[in-house]
Amino acid sequence: PGELEMEALAERALAVLLPLRHVAWGSNMNNSAICAYGYGTAITQPCLYQAMDQLGIAQYLTRLGLLFADADALEAAKQAWLAAPQWQELRRYVEDSFVMSDWFEQYLAQNLVLDGLLYPLVYSHFDNALSREAGPTVSMLLRFQAEWFAESSRWVDASVKVAAAENRELVSGWTRVWLDRAVAALTPLAVFALGDQGEPVMTELVEQFKARAAKLGLGL
């Protein structure tokens, strides 16, 4: 691509990626809360690590904005998060997740459902789309997020599998509720990021998520 095309691609990448700083911060808050109110070191300690990793991801995205633009881009992303229509359902999801009364429902809403759809959408499909159009420059800066999700999913799955064996109906019910909300929250972002491919990609991701959930013993 020429210089103008590269500038346009960089603006597009930042428009999708920079508001996700607020989502990562939300995960930091949620996992900190789970660490505070959860039962047992086997889940509270990993959630503390998860919280700090998400804070690091927010910082990665901040550095990406400063590398390709400047501090004004971060402010523009904040305003998009607060007002742009493609972000409002996701913002509602994140803010509602802060005030749940049950810490394990919060765990499912954040670590299983939201991350389970958001990370493949952004750090796989959107990343691949950018790489096809402009090469691997942005992808190299997003590698941590992709590798982190693959690793963190293993302990999330292990925890949910144990919980599902104890109370399949309750855990499945919570997961269904938040899956529906996550699809509603992420579909506008998918269309914003991927255009006509956004909705088909979301359909694919939901199918993959349901297959993952079935392996954990959940009934969706």
Side-chain angles (χ1 to χ4, degrees):
E3 183 176 346
L4 291 178
E5 288 84 353
M6 288 299 295
E7 289 181 2
L9 285 169
E11 290 180 4
R12 176 182 164 208
L14 294 181
V16 172
L17 294 170
L18 289 190
L20 294 174
R21 298 187 311 143
H22 302 283
V23 182
W25 174 80
S27 180
N28 170 270
M29 294 288 289
N30 282 333
N31 279 287
S32 296
I34 298 164
C35 180
Y37 296 106
Y39 301 138
T41 304
I43 197 161
T44 57
Q45 184 172 355
C47 282
L48 180 59
Y49 295 153
Q50 191 93 336
M52 297 311 297
D53 286 345
Q54 289 279 9
L55 184 60
I57 288 170
Q59 292 171 340
Y60 264 96
L61 294 171
T62 300
R63 291 178 64 86
L64 182 70
L66 295 175
L67 178 64
F68 282 100
D70 53 30
D72 290 341
L74 302 181
E75 179 60 27
K78 176 183 176 181
Q79 294 306 315
W81 175 251
L82 292 174
Q86 66 269 19
W87 294 105
Q88 296 317 298
E89 287 303 317
L90 181 55
R91 182 164 74 96
R92 186 188 306 275
Y93 186 110
V94 171
E95 292 176 357
D96 285 353
S97 72
F98 291 157
V99 294
M100 276 185 272
S101 59
D102 190 287
W103 64 268
F104 196 75
E105 183 182 5
Q106 191 174 36
Y107 179 92
L108 293 170
Q110 177 65 62
N111 295 327
L112 178 65
V113 179
L114 182 57
D115 287 353
L117 294 176
L118 174 66
Y119 276 76
L121 170 63
V122 174
Y123 299 110
S124 178
H125 287 276
F126 181 62
D127 182 22
N128 291 339
L130 288 177
S131 295
R132 286 193 299 269
E133 295 179 47
T137 302
V138 174
S139 184
M140 290 188 292
L141 299 172
L142 303 179
R143 185 171 299 169
F144 172 79
Q145 287 93 315
E147 294 177 351
W148 173 87
F149 174 69
E151 182 66 25
S152 68
S153 294
R154 295 169 59 191
W155 78 268
V156 170
D157 285 359
S159 301
V160 173
K161 190 172 184 179
V162 171
E166 292 288 334
N167 194 331
R168 182 175 186 267
E169 182 178 355
L170 179 62
V171 176
S172 297
W174 278 339
T175 303
R176 281 193 298 269
V177 168
W178 288 100
L179 176 59
D180 289 345
R181 290 199 55 178
V183 172
L186 292 174
T187 298
L189 174 58
V191 172
F192 178 65
L194 299 172
D196 293 341
Q197 291 301 307
E199 291 190 6
V201 164
M202 282 302 304
T203 299
E204 176 186 341
L205 292 179
V206 171
E207 291 174 355
Q208 292 172 352
F209 180 87
K210 288 182 176 179
R212 175 188 176 190
K215 291 180 180 179
L216 304 180
L218 301 178
L220 302 184

